Amino acid sequence: MDYGILSLFPIALTIVIAMWLKNISIALFVGAFAGLMVMAGGNPFNAMMSYVVDHLVPNMTDSYCAEVLVLLIFIGGFVKLLEVSGGAHAFASSVTKFVNSRAKAQMAGWVAGIMVFFSDIGSPIIAGPIVQPLTDKMKVSREKLAWILDTTASPLSILVPFLGWGAYIMGLMGTEFKAAGIETAEWDMLLKVWPFQYYALLSLLMVPLVAFTKKNLARCIRQR
């Protein structure tokens, strides 16, 4: 069914609420509910029923989603432990004499993201609280730190074969190889195509480039 320009309303509402309340969870909930309201013809009861029955319950009971939720709970506990114990601030204080510039602070986030190659979801959550006191002290914006950690975590998840994404890609390869009658080990093929992972490799190189050239994407767009 074509909803026309009305289909943009939930997205716009989500953005406005996120900017207003500074709370992504509430914004996403309201935006999703607004979208279901549009689909339900403005009936809030049908929209809420669809929200719970068709979307919330199936996703909460999905095995992958359940694993992600459990993982985030454990990681969240570890992060809170770092904050309460003062470990993150102690680390920032101990390395301040070495990391004494904005560029070095950004590179510290890059190195932390590489060393904590856990997963594309878990790595930023673990590395962020460790590096954040340091980047705050060097006046690196938290938005930029988020970009650095995400730009480091996602490519590594693709490049490291024994992480979740590597196993998933090898599973897809195995299915296609079997269908095509190709007798090649998925592990060997994944390593052979490693140099052609242009997105991942260039993303990893982008962080040092931005850090040492002091170029910001937003500033470059404004100058144009």
Side-chain angles (χ1 to χ4, degrees), residues 68 75 149:
V68 170
I75 293 177
L149 294 174

Side-chain angles (χ1 to χ4, degrees), residues 166-208:
Y168 175 71
I169 293 171
M170 285 189 287
L172 295 178
M173 285 182 173
T175 302
E176 297 301 323
F177 288 169
K178 185 176 180 180
I182 301 175
E183 296 182 358
T184 302
E186 297 86 354
W187 177 273
D188 294 337
M189 182 58 68
L190 186 63
L191 295 180
K192 287 180 181 178
V193 302
W194 195 89
F196 302 99
Q197 300 274 18
Y198 298 122
Y199 161 75
L201 296 174
L202 291 176
S203 294
L204 289 175
L205 293 175
M206 185 62 67
V207 174

Side-chain angles (χ1 to χ4, degrees), residues 42-120:
N43 189 317
F45 179 77
N46 290 341
M48 182 56 70
M49 287 294 295
S50 178
Y51 200 114
V52 175
V53 176
D54 299 332
H55 301 281
L56 186 61
V57 172
N59 281 286
M60 291 292 289
T61 56
D62 180 76
S63 59
Y64 174 77
C65 294
E67 290 175 4
V68 170
L69 288 174
V70 173
L71 174 66
L72 292 178
I73 289 172
F74 279 105
I75 293 177
F78 172 74
V79 169
K80 192 62 179 178
L81 179 63
L82 281 178
E83 293 178 354
V84 173
S85 65
H89 289 278
F91 171 78
S93 300
S94 63
V95 300
T96 299
K97 56 183 178 181
F98 304 106
V99 183
N100 51 13
S101 68
R102 295 185 64 194
K104 291 180 180 179
Q106 293 173 62
M107 288 301 298
W110 184 69
V111 172
I114 291 176
M115 293 179 64
V116 188
F117 57 94
F118 185 68
S119 70
D120 57 331

Side-chain angles (χ1 to χ4, degrees), residues 155-176:
L156 276 178
S157 299
I158 300 172
L159 293 174
V160 179
F162 52 81
L163 293 182
W165 277 109
Y168 175 71
I169 293 171
M170 285 189 287
L172 295 178
M173 285 182 173
T175 302
E176 297 301 323

Side-chain angles (χ1 to χ4, degrees), residues 127-177:
I130 298 174
V131 184
Q132 183 180 310
L134 184 62
T135 53
D136 285 349
K137 186 174 293 186
M138 293 295 127
K139 299 188 183 303
V140 177
S141 68
R142 294 188 177 182
E143 291 81 4
K144 194 167 190 178
L145 174 61
W147 171 76
I148 291 171
L149 294 174
D150 183 70
T151 304
T152 306
S154 297
L156 276 178
S157 299
I158 300 172
L159 293 174
V160 179
F162 52 81
L163 293 182
W165 277 109
Y168 175 71
I169 293 171
M170 285 189 287
L172 295 178
M173 285 182 173
T175 302
E176 297 301 323
F177 288 169

